Each structure stands twice: as C-alpha cells, then as structure tokens.
Amino acid sequence: MRHKYLVVIPFALMLVVTVVGGWLNTIDVRGRVIDDSTGQPVAGVTISYGANRGAVSGDDGTFVLINLPRGARLRTSMPGYQPANADAGRDIHIVPGSLTLQVNEEGTTDTRVPGVEVRQGDKVLTKCSAEPCGQLVITTVDIVGQKALVCAPGHASKEIDLKGVTLVMTLAKQDGGACPPLPSPSPSPTPVPTATPVPTATPSNSPNASP
C-alpha cells in the first residue's frame, strides 16, 4: 500500500504545479479605451487577442478579457481611429485617423450649409463636392489636435479643433461672408528659346593650277 502512495505522489505534485503555474501565468484583463485627442472614453471599440479572443468596449469605454497570458498584447479596431497595440492590463489610448464633420445652419439641426470648405492656412483639407452638402471627412492622421477654419459663402467663418472622430457644428449667416481668397499659383517661367547654331561653311581644297 505504501508503494502505491509513493507512485501517486509525483503525479499529484505535477498536477498541483501545473494548476498553480497556470494561475500565476494568466490574468483577467480589465481596462478602458480612451480617445487620445479628447481624453474621453470610446464605446464600441473591438479589443482582440489573437484570432479568437476579443471584447467590445462599453458605453464608459471599459472592457474585460478573461484568462489571458501575462504579457499579452492587445489590438484595437474602430472606424475613424488608427489601430493600436497595447499591453494587457493598461488603459488603451487610441488616436483618431479621420474626422467626420456636419455643418448646419445656425438655429437648425438638419439644414446643411452649402459650399462648405475646411482649411488650414492655404491648404484646403476638404470641401463640398455636391449640393446639398452632406458630411465631410477630414483625414487627420498627421494633424490631430491642430486647428482648422470652416467657411462658406454668405456665412461667418469659424475655427475648430481637429479632435475626436465626429463633429456637428453650425455656421451663422453673414452678408458678404466668404472663404478667404487662396493665393494665386506662381506663373511658370517662360522658357528662353535656344538659338540654333548656324553651320559654318567648310572651304573646299581646289587643286593647284598646272604651270
């Protein structure tokens, strides 16, 4: 009987080590997804580990992933935001990649302002390509947090911050209002005509006259 116990003990120890090792090497991940440009939580973000494990952030930006390996790397996916990779167990900050803008007439909620342009200095970031003007999409990958000017004919211009991924704003009507004129492109230099070289006559060698 004693020998039977001696045979069982190593297997029991192996089982205990395996279970305890699994507990020590896995974690339950709890975190929050935050918009890096506004500091606000983001709902609806897909947070994934590998191909088959994932969660979606709630209204307050929080998420939970159960029983992940320690040191796991998480990846996010959300329209309008750039994908992010982050260590498990930390809040995840995601950076906008585009801003969807809707410009309404002041005092209304659904009457669009025609002829809207969004500018940074002399650069037009986007503008209405059809009327009525719908939603405009501004690519903000390299300009998150900067300012831009929203302008339209017959309206007062307004400056906005390029933060977040959606913005609904209004413009007030103003007599004579317009977008600032853009600088005229510099004229191309006129090419200087190159003179065509005149061929030089080659003197012929005449035979010497006989004496």
Side-chain angles (χ1 to χ4, degrees):
M1 182 67 70
R2 183 178 180 183
H3 292 293
K4 291 182 179 180
Y5 287 129
L6 292 177
V7 171
V8 172
I9 287 174
F11 291 101
L13 289 175
M14 185 179 299
L15 177 62
V16 171
V17 169
T18 301
V19 172
V20 173
W23 288 340
L24 295 176
N25 290 314
T26 59
I27 55 174
D28 294 340
V29 177
R30 291 174 171 82
R32 189 168 61 146
V33 184
I34 298 171
D35 184 314
D36 197 59
S37 66
T38 64
Q40 297 299 312
V42 185
V45 180
T46 299
I47 305 98
S48 58
Y49 171 73
N52 302 315
R53 303 287 301 278
V56 177
S57 60
D59 292 340
D60 58 355
T62 59
F63 65 93
V64 178
L65 281 168
I66 304 299
N67 199 29
L68 293 187
R70 289 188 180 275
R73 294 280 290 173
L74 306 179
R75 183 171 177 81
T76 66
S77 176
M78 177 70 175
Y81 287 93
Q82 303 177 55
N85 293 291
D87 294 329
R90 297 181 180 179
D91 287 346
I92 303 176
H93 290 255
I94 56 178
V95 179
S98 63
L99 173 63
T100 300
L101 175 68
Q102 179 176 311
V103 185
N104 297 330
E105 295 282 2
E106 189 173 67
T108 72
T109 57
D110 57 2
T111 303
R112 306 289 191 271
V113 174
V116 173
E117 291 188 14
V118 183
R119 297 184 182 180
Q120 268 197 328
D122 298 336
K123 182 179 180 181
V124 178
L125 300 179
T126 188
K127 63 180 181 180
C128 287
S129 57
E131 300 298 344
C133 188
Q135 293 181 326
L136 301 171
V137 179
I138 309 165
T139 300
T140 58
V141 172
D142 299 318
I143 54 175
V144 174
Q146 298 182 19
K147 294 185 179 296
L149 182 73
V150 180
C151 57
H155 292 76
S157 301
K158 187 179 292 186
E159 195 173 56
I160 62 171
D161 292 316
L162 299 175
K163 296 181 178 181
V165 294
T166 58
L167 175 62
V168 178
M169 61 174 293
T170 62
L171 288 182
K173 290 184 177 181
Q174 182 184 68
D175 291 338
C179 293
L182 293 170
S184 301
S186 302
S188 302
T190 303
V192 178
T194 304
T196 304
V198 178
T200 304
T202 304
S204 59
N205 294 325
S206 302
N208 293 332
S210 301

